[in-house]
């Protein structure tokens, strides 16, 4: 199947297939729990930093830059949708972070954030990672949704590059969930189940993102920036702070650089 054949496929279906891929990579990463019970802290920080680097690069190259270019091509002021959408995306994640009950790895159950509940610790841990995956799914959905307005090979390859980049960073993210759960006493199978479950939200968010821009094309530049803002909020609120735990923080910085460089290469070379 060549690019022309892919362009004939409904953008919503493409978004669904793309996020199924990223979910599958999350599950693949989570499967490492069947081979390892612990993750070296250096490697763990490196993985978290890598995920942060990918998301930072994707936020600009795949989302904010296209938002600005699209607005200017329509004769508008490029920075307005970029700034408004970006801040709205961050605000959305801020509210979700305050409402959705969740617990970060290594924290005591009583330190759970969001609305107080009696939910089990395992559910709260998975919901913490699920917060990471919502903006990722939205980003992929919106990127493929652009095809409804501009069915070009450039837009398609850019969306594919974003999907590949997020998929790559989902592999260590899956392991970063399942292996610590195993260390906390979960069985290998249960740790794997919860690890891959965290990525299940991506196909849902991807389809919603694609449908949103498919039926509301005027908001497309805002939607792109919204996804970028949501992703950056996750990076600043969750990934970078978690990667700075322990005495091996240099590895998280190296991970950020590598992740950013790989995502930038994918987007520029493919998109």
């Amino acid at each position: 199947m060549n690019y022309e054949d892919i362009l004939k496929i409904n953008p919503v279906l493409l978004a669904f297939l793309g996020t199924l891929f990223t979910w599958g990579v999350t599950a693949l990463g989570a499967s490492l729990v069947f081979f390892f019970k612990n993750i070296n802290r250096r490697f763990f920080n490196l993985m978290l930093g890598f995920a942060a680097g990918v998301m930072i690069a994707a936020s600009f190259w795949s989302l904010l830059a296209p938002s600005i270019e699209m607005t200017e091509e329509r004769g508008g002021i490029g920075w307005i949708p970029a700034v408004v959408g970006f801040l709205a995306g961050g605000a959305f994640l801020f509210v979700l972070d305050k409402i959705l009950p969740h617990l970060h790895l290594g924290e005591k159950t009583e330190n759970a954030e969001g609305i107080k509940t009696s939910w089990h610790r395992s559910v709260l841990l998975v919901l913490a990672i699920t917060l990471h995956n919502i903006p990722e799914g939205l980003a992929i959905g919106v990127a493929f949704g652009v095809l409804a307005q501009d069915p070009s090979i450039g837009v398609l390859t850019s969306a594919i590059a974003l999907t590949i980049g997020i998929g790559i960073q989902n592999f260590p993210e899956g392991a970063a969930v399942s292996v610590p759960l195993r260390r906390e006493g979960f069985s290998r199978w249960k740790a794997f189940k919860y690890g891959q479950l965290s990525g299940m939200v991506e196909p849902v968010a991807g389809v919603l993102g694609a449908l949103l821009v498919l039926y509301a094309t005027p908001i497309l530049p805002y939607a792109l920036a919204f996804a970028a803002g949501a992703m950056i909020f996750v990076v600043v609120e969750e990934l970078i702070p978690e990667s700075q735990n322990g005495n091996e923080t240099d590895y998280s910085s190296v991970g950020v650089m590598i992740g950013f460089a790989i995502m930038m290469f994918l987007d520029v070379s493919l998109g």
Side-chain angles (χ1 to χ4, degrees), residues 75-259:
I77 301 174
W79 62 265
I80 293 180
V83 171
V84 173
F86 183 82
L87 293 178
F92 171 73
L93 258 292
F94 176 82
V95 172
L96 200 59
D97 184 69
K98 296 300 181 183
I99 295 176
L100 185 67
H102 61 284
L103 178 68
H104 299 295
L105 292 169
E107 293 287 344
K108 296 180 180 179
T109 305
E110 55 265 27
N111 293 333
E113 299 179 16
I115 296 174
K116 300 301 180 183
T117 71
S118 58
W119 293 352
H120 290 297
R121 177 180 176 83
S122 56
V123 176
L124 294 172
L125 287 167
V126 172
L127 287 176
I129 305 302
T130 301
L131 276 172
H132 296 187
N133 293 330
I134 291 174
E136 294 172 9
L138 281 173
I140 293 173
V142 171
F144 279 109
V146 177
L147 289 169
Q149 180 178 321
D150 182 11
S152 64
I153 294 178
V155 171
L156 175 62
T157 53
S158 181
I160 291 174
L162 177 63
T163 302
I164 293 172
I166 289 178
I168 290 172
Q169 66 96 28
N170 272 5
F171 180 82
E173 195 170 78
V177 179
S178 62
V179 176
L181 287 177
R182 171 61 178 160
R183 192 170 58 246
E184 291 198 10
F186 288 73
S187 68
R188 283 187 171 86
W189 174 249
K190 192 173 183 180
F192 166 75
K193 182 176 70 173
Y194 282 121
Q196 62 82 32
L197 190 64
S198 65
M200 188 180 293
V201 71
E202 289 194 11
V204 177
V207 169
L208 289 176
L211 285 172
L212 177 66
V213 299
L214 195 63
Y215 294 104
T217 53
I219 69 167
L220 183 52
Y222 292 90
L224 287 165
F226 181 95
M231 289 177 69
I232 291 297
F233 183 90
V234 167
V235 170
V236 177
E237 172 73 10
E238 310 289 349
L239 292 179
I240 290 181
E242 289 179 11
S243 73
Q244 295 296 311
N245 288 328
N247 299 318
E248 308 295 346
T249 56
D250 287 345
Y251 288 85
S252 60
S253 300
V254 171
V256 170
M257 299 297 292
I258 295 173

